[in-house]
Amino acid sequence: MSMSASATPGRLGSEAKTGRTSMYTRKSSATTERAGEEIEFANQRGLEDTYLNRMRIFVAPYFAEFFGTAVFVLLGCGANLTYTVLTTNAESAWLANAFGWGFGLMLGVFVAGGVSGAMLNPAVAISFAAFRGLPWIQVPFYILAEFIGAFIGAILAYACFAHSLDPFDDYHRQIGGPFGSAGAFGNFARPFIGNGAAFLSEAIGTGVLVLGVFAITDTNNFPARSSTPIAIGFLLTGLAISLGYPTGYSYNPARDLGPRCAAAIWYGADVFTYHGSYTWVPVAGPFAGGIVGAAAYELFIVSKRAVVDDSRSYSESVHSSVSLE
């Protein structure tokens, strides 16, 4: 952004001060403006001001997160199961698997984006609370809805593929080995990759994911707007193809732990201790990487531009933002 030749040091200082002040006040006004938007939405829908309708408006974001995550995981785990039992060409199967998760995320964002912002990922929800004004009081409910949605999505995927798994493993569910299929639900790193290296891989991948989501939904940058779900879906697909091989690209604590809990119903509690108690890696890695990716974007990209151009409402970014893994 070029500076006008008529700009003076005093004017620039005033603009910088205004920009910094607005950055501090954005978060405090986001909740109030969001509440006003919800009331306006209710008026547009012709909803009467009753206790039941107020409750519907209050819980709508959490149900949106639940259904969006369930759809995302249903399609993703379905792609994993197809990759596991129906395809012999590993290269083409990996590509199809990546697109399956990407399209699943895209559809999940379409389902929830206009209501909850479609975090669909606890790491993304925490990052938006830290830097984009999502109220912290909502974060635990978002995360709970995402975990439950992922759990239900995995159960539905298993129900679709249960009879296809029977001839594959001769009715004996196995976690690993040539006939193992538990990895279609909860991720496991490659046998030759330790948990430390897997943690780093998950953290880096999630950091890039969150940084990309922040860029795509930044109204001061080059936002995708109505194409946001498509852009985020392809973002995940690209990460899966380029960085996903070492760990199977969880990049999302809910997407891994929810299906892993569902898998324990059929595969037993060993799904939590397999591969050196691997369960903590796809949970801790995304949380750590997500906050680093968000901080990198906000500190080194947004803040410099916001000092000069701060004319747009910060709550617009929060309301239009959608995400996800």
Side-chain angles (χ1 to χ4, degrees):
M1 182 175 182
S2 61
M3 221 168 21
S4 170
S6 61
T8 65
R11 178 184 172 186
L12 291 176
S14 175
E15 289 177 349
K17 182 178 179 181
T18 301
R20 287 193 296 269
T21 302
S22 179
M23 288 172 66
Y24 288 120
T25 58
R26 285 166 170 171
K27 294 182 180 179
S28 63
S29 63
T31 305
T32 303
E33 294 184 5
R34 183 64 179 269
E37 291 169 354
E38 291 174 350
I39 294 173
E40 182 181 357
F41 170 78
N43 292 334
Q44 291 174 353
R45 292 287 301 271
L47 298 177
E48 296 181 4
D49 186 12
T50 64
Y51 175 79
L52 178 60
N53 286 331
R54 284 179 176 270
M55 286 300 300
R56 287 174 59 191
I57 295 172
F58 175 77
V59 301
Y62 312 119
F63 275 107
E65 287 294 305
F66 166 79
F67 282 106
T69 307
V71 168
F72 165 46
V73 171
L74 170 61
L75 270 63
C77 286
N80 279 358
L81 287 164
T82 301
Y83 169 72
T84 301
V85 303
L86 299 180
T87 308
T88 57
N89 188 319
E91 289 76 14
S92 63
W94 182 263
L95 183 63
N97 178 273
F99 275 103
W101 278 105
F103 289 147
L105 180 57
M106 178 182 68
L107 183 56
V109 173
F110 271 120
V111 168
V115 180
S116 67
M119 306 292 117
L120 311 187
N121 184 336
V124 174
I126 288 178
S127 298
F128 268 77
F131 295 102
R132 290 287 180 92
L134 178 68
W136 280 105
I137 195 172
Q138 290 185 299
V139 172
F141 300 104
Y142 268 63
I143 293 176
L144 180 62
E146 290 156 4
F147 273 109
I148 297 175
F151 179 84
I152 297 300
I155 288 180
L156 294 176
Y158 182 86
C160 292
F161 278 83
H163 293 292
S164 298
L165 286 170
D166 291 338
F168 172 74
D169 58 15
D170 196 23
Y171 298 86
H172 180 61
R173 299 294 181 259
Q174 304 171 41
I175 296 176
F179 299 103
S181 54
F185 300 97
N187 282 356
F188 298 101
R190 303 294 171 180
F192 48 84
I193 295 177
N195 286 354
F199 175 89
L200 182 62
S201 177
E202 285 288 310
I204 292 174
T206 310
V208 176
L209 174 69
V210 173
L211 186 145
V213 168
F214 269 45
I216 291 170
T217 59
D218 183 4
T219 56
N220 288 320
N221 196 340
F222 192 68
R225 300 191 187 280
S226 61
S227 300
T228 293
I230 300 172
I232 291 178
F234 275 104
L235 170 63
L236 179 60
T237 296
L239 287 172
I241 295 172
S242 58
L243 299 177
Y245 176 79
T247 63
Y249 59 94
S250 170
Y251 307 155
N252 183 333
R255 167 264 173 275
D256 182 89
L257 190 56
R260 192 181 298 271
C261 291
I265 299 173
W266 312 291
Y267 298 89
D270 287 345
V271 295
F272 299 108
T273 58
Y274 188 78
H275 197 287
S277 298
Y278 183 77
T279 303
W280 68 273
V281 174
V283 175
F287 276 129
I291 201 69
V292 171
Y297 188 86
E298 290 293 311
L299 293 176
F300 298 107
I301 300 177
V302 166
S303 59
K304 293 182 179 180
R305 183 172 54 258
V307 169
V308 180
D309 183 10
D310 194 28
S311 59
R312 296 180 180 176
S313 171
Y314 199 71
S315 63
E316 180 183 351
S317 174
V318 175
H319 186 62
S320 63
S321 64
V322 285
S323 52
L324 156 46
E325 188 161 116

